Every structure is written in C-alpha cells, then in structure tokens.
C-alpha cells in the first residue's frame, strides 16, 4: 500500500470526529464500499443502479455506495483522489487510461482476487488491454467497435454495394464510393461526415485494419513511435476525403459524434463513422420514418481488425476490503448481468457467454453487425504505453487536427508524431 500524506487540518478533523482515514464500516457493522460508475446514458445508469440495489439487498454485511463519475474528467479526478487517499474502492474507467495508475501502484493486481469463471470467460486478447508488466489491473467488460451509421435510403437509391462483415468495403473502395455518392447527392451535401473532436483514438484504432501499429516495443520494454505506410492509410483516406475530394466537410472535424446527428437526419450526410453505442441516440432521436443501417468500418490488409479500449472495472490498491470488492465485481459481471449492462450502454460484452445472448445478435438496430466484429477487436495500439495521455493531448491531437484540416501535410504529421512524440515518451521510460 502506498503511503498517503494527509494535511494537518484533515488529520485534526478526523481526530476530533473520532474517525480514522479509510474508515469504511458503518455503525451497524457492515462494510461499505464506494463504486464510482461512469455510466451516463439513462438506460446504463438505471442498469448499474438496479444491480447495486440487488447486491445490497442480498448482502447486508457488504454494502455498495453508488458514486456518479464523468468520462470528461475521470483521469484528473482519479489522479487527485489517489494522491489524497480518497479513491473509490471500485473504479470504472477505460483500459487506455490505466497504464499510469497501474505502474504507479494505485490499482490492485486482480490476479489473486478474481474467480476462475470470470478469468476464463473473457478472451486473452481482452485481458491484454488491462495487463501491465506482470499484473492485471482491471476487468475489461464492455467494448465498442467503430462502425458506419448510414442513411439506408440514400445508399440504396445510389445503387452502391452495401458492405457486410463478410464482404466489407476496402479503404480504397470506401473513398471511391464517397466520391460517387457526393456527386449523386448534389451541392451542399456530403457522402460522409467525420466527427473528429477526439481524432487520436479514431486514427489509431481504425489504423489497425491497414496493418498500422504506430507504437513499437523493443525487447527491453521501451516503446517508440514509428509512422509507416500502413499507419498512413486511414489518416490519408480521411485527409483526402476532406481536403482533396471534398466528400467530407471540414465543419465536422471539431465536432463530437452527437453534433453530426442533426445533419445526418436532415440528409446532409449519407454516412457517419461512429462508436457502436451511438445507435441508442439514433434510435431515440431519428425522425419518424428515417431508415438507417449499421455497416462495418472499411477493411485493409489486416481485414476488419480494429483497436478497442474496453471499459474496465478496477479495485484501488488502498482499499482495505479487496476481497469484498472482487466479490461485487463477480456479481456485477455474471453473464446475465453483463448483458443488462451491455444493453444499457448499447455496447458489446467482452465475455463470450454474454456475447452469445440472442438479444445481442438480432438484426434490429445493428446488433448483429457489431457482434460479428467482436472477434476482430484487438487492444488499442497505445494500450500499455506510459505517457500516452500526455502524448495524445500535447502531440497527437493537434497534429491530427491540423493534418485533417489541410493545415499540414503527411510528412509534417509523421515528423510530429515521431520526433515530438518520442521526446514525450522518453521522459516516462527513464530508468
């Protein structure tokens, strides 16, 4: 357990109230654990809260307090809470945010805590996303492939071939189809809208389909950035659609996925590449009679492979009740409960038993397309890279934004990602 330094005033306050730091036992003797959830959609929040209520009703000696967190601020909030000794016992996050916390000793190694049922049900490729060094520091439980949400009428009227997971578009074919569609749609309309407010994960995760990797780990464990021809395929396609072909508007590059939906519903864009969970908003907000469909993202030399950073559940190293916290995780992630969480978040479970549930394989709302992609999901390229958050914020995000807008060319993009990026990563790998 890492030492925590409490401010003098806080220590005095604890003494005056007769409490001790880390006191988590209620007056009736029950252990109380804090579970910080990042669920935000109503269905997801409802599913999480209902499962907490079911646990509490069945386990009077171990009570779970639901704490609402936010994806927008979770990294900084956890940094502050770990340093202040106030971290929740059970932590909901994403696997690409765990590396610094895992290497920093803030998260418990789950290997001795998790039951064999849970370990065996989740594929090894998913466990790789939460493995850092020799330890496992989170349970990957929900995952979200990127798909293309398309206006079915526009595509069918155009006569283009609709891709399937068995016969997807290639990236070259995708670019050609967006050229044909834009011409057919007429002035002021575009075949595709790329919402790239957060361009790094889109670029890297879809880049795996073309064989891109970007981050390369040497035998001594050190990671460096190399930008190859394979890494350039997906960014180059997006750049050309925006800058050269004008089949995608510049105006959406700084937008989030939700920002593009009004234009999509109005027929300004025929297709929008989005995370799988956006289907919920589309199903709820689409105008009456609006026909939409879910298509797989284009395939490259590596087929439909794409990177994902699954949602995770971890246990704080400083929690004095790790076994009880692990028992709650085991309950929360029973297959039938994982299906409830997946449907609430409109995402895919990592567990094979839950993923086989018929409700997640129906054609309705594109569930079957997502389920067909599950076996092609791999750890995101930056998964275990120390310093990735700083690299992403200070180097990669502005570089990709400028490249996609046409402000810099591909050579300058590569220079920044490699030269500037390796300087950042080097600071985190000094021995």
């Amino acid at each position: 357990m890492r030492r925590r330094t409490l401010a003098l005033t806080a220590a005095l306050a604890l003494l005056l109230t007769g409490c001790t730091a880390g006191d988590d036992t209620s007056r009736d003797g029950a252990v109380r654990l804090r579970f910080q959830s990042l669920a935000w959609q109503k269905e997801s929040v409802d599913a999480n809260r209902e499962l907490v209520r079911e646990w509490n009703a069945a386990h009077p000696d171990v009570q779970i307090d639901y704490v609402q967190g936010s994806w927008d601020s979770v990294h900084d909030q956890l940094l502050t809470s770990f340093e202040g000794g106030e971290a929740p016992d059970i932590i909901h996050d994403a696997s690409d945010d765990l590396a610094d916390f895992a290497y920093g000793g803030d998260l418990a190694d789950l290997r001795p805590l998790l039951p064999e049922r849970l370990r065996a049900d989740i594929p090894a490729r998913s466990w790789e996303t939460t493995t850092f060094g020799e330890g496992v520091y989170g349970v990957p439980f929900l995952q979200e492939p990127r798909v293309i949400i398309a206006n079915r009428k526009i595509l069918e009227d155009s006569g283009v071939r609709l891709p399937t997971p068995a016969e997807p578009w290639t990236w070259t074919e995708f670019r050609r189809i967006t050229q044909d569609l834009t011409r057919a749609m007429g002035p002021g309309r575009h075949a595709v809208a790329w919402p790239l407010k957060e361009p790094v994960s889109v670029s890297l995760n879809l880049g795996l389909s073309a064989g891109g990797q970007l981050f390369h780990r040497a035998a001594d464990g050190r990671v460096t950035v190399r930008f190859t021809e394979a890494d350039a395929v997906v960014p180059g396609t997006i750049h050309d659609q925006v800058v050269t072909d004008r089949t995608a508007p510049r105006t959406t590059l700084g937008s989030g996925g939700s920002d593009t939906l009004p234009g999509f519903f109005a027929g300004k864009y025929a297709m929008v590449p989005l995370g799988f969970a956006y289907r919920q908003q589309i199903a709820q907000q689409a105008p009456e009679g609006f026909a939409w469909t879910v298509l797989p993202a284009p395939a490259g030399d590596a087929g439909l492979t794409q990177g994902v950073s699954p949602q995770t559940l971890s246990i704080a190293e400083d929690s004095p009740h790790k076994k009880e916290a692990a028992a709650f995780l085991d309950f929360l992630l029973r297959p039938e409960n994982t299906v409830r969480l997946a449907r609430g978040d409109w995402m895919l479970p990592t567990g094979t038993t839950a993923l086989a549930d018929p409700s997640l394989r129906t054609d309705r709302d594109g569930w079957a397309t997502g389920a067909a992609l599950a076996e092609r999901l791999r750890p995101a390229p930056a998964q275990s890279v120390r310093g990735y958050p700083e690299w992403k914020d200070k180097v990669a995000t502005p570089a990709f934004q400028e490249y996609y807008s046409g402000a810099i060319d591909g050579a300058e993009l590569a220079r920044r990602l490699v030269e500037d990026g390796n300087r950042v990563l080097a600071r985190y790998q000094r021995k």
Side-chain angles (χ1 to χ4, degrees), residues 204 213-217 223-226 381-382 385 388 391 425:
L204 270 60
Q213 186 66 30
L214 201 66
F215 295 98
H216 300 267
R217 190 178 297 275
V223 176
T224 55
V225 180
R226 295 201 304 271
V385 177
Y388 170 71
W391 176 86
L425 298 187

Side-chain angles (χ1 to χ4, degrees), residues 15-184:
L15 289 171
L16 289 172
T17 57
C19 298
T20 60
D23 185 6
D24 56 4
T25 304
S26 61
R27 291 181 179 178
D28 61 4
V31 171
R32 303 204 71 90
L33 301 177
R34 288 183 298 151
F35 165 38
Q36 178 170 291
S37 170
L38 303 181
W40 62 277
Q41 301 185 94
K42 183 180 184 303
E43 291 179 53
S44 181
V45 173
D46 290 347
N48 277 272
R49 286 187 176 275
E50 181 59 31
L51 286 168
V52 168
R53 284 193 290 269
E54 291 175 14
W55 168 275
N56 286 341
H59 300 83
D61 294 336
V62 180
Q63 294 288 285
I64 304 297
D65 294 331
Y66 183 95
V67 178
Q68 186 63 60
S70 169
W71 286 107
D72 292 337
S73 58
V74 64
H75 185 81
D76 291 342
Q77 180 263 324
L78 287 174
L79 278 175
T80 301
S81 65
F82 282 131
E83 289 306 315
E86 297 294 333
D89 300 273
I90 301 156
I91 298 164
H92 182 190
D93 203 352
S95 59
D96 64 354
D97 192 42
L98 298 185
D100 291 343
F101 299 132
Y103 288 120
D106 297 307
L107 302 177
D109 182 356
L110 300 180
R111 288 177 299 170
L113 298 170
L114 298 178
E116 177 59 27
R117 175 204 67 79
L118 187 57
R119 291 198 297 267
D121 194 49
I122 296 175
R125 63 178 180 272
S126 295
W127 285 116
E128 289 176 21
T129 67
T130 58
T131 299
F132 304 95
E134 297 297 320
V136 174
Y137 295 94
V139 182
F141 71 109
L142 293 180
Q143 54 191 346
E144 182 180 23
R146 292 193 175 273
V147 294
I148 296 175
I149 309 295
N151 183 314
R152 177 181 287 276
K153 185 176 188 306
I154 291 177
L155 265 64
E156 289 181 345
D157 287 350
S158 73
V160 304
R161 179 182 75 84
L162 295 183
T164 66
E167 296 185 69
W169 289 331
T170 65
W171 284 101
T172 300
E173 187 179 9
F174 178 51
R175 183 182 175 190
R176 178 182 56 75
I177 283 171
T178 58
Q179 292 170 339
D180 295 340
L181 270 178
T182 300
R183 282 193 294 268

Side-chain angles (χ1 to χ4, degrees), residues 213-378:
Q213 186 66 30
L214 201 66
F215 295 98
H216 300 267
R217 190 178 297 275
D220 63 0
R222 295 178 66 84
V223 176
T224 55
V225 180
R226 295 201 304 271
F227 193 80
T228 67
E229 289 185 8
D231 293 301
V233 170
V234 172
T237 301
I238 298 172
H239 170 275
D240 290 345
Q241 287 175 326
V242 175
V243 178
T244 306
D245 305 337
R246 299 188 178 180
T247 57
R250 278 190 175 87
T251 53
T252 65
L253 292 178
S255 302
S258 299
D259 300 327
T260 63
L261 295 186
F264 177 62
F265 296 146
K268 292 176 64 176
Y269 324 121
M271 298 178 286
V272 185
L274 292 168
F276 197 54
Y278 276 95
R279 296 170 305 123
Q280 182 188 38
Q281 289 180 254
I282 294 168
Q284 293 176 346
Q285 298 174 14
E288 186 175 354
F290 182 84
W292 57 280
T293 188
V294 178
L295 309 176
D301 288 347
L304 286 170
T305 300
Q306 58 175 277
V308 292
S309 297
Q311 292 189 21
T312 58
L313 293 169
S314 300
I315 298 173
E317 174 61 23
D318 279 356
S319 173
H321 298 287
K322 295 182 181 66
K323 289 184 178 180
E324 292 84 350
F328 174 68
L329 293 189
D330 183 36
F331 163 80
L332 197 66
L333 300 180
R334 290 175 183 170
E336 63 272 22
N337 292 342
T338 305
V339 171
R340 292 163 64 181
L341 294 173
R343 291 188 62 81
D345 247 332
W346 287 60
M347 297 177 70
L348 299 175
T350 58
T352 56
T353 304
L355 186 61
D357 189 277
S359 70
L360 303 182
R361 292 184 173 269
T362 176
D363 288 334
R364 182 180 175 84
D365 297 328
W367 281 104
T369 298
L373 300 175
E375 291 187 0
R376 304 299 300 171
L377 303 180
R378 297 293 182 267

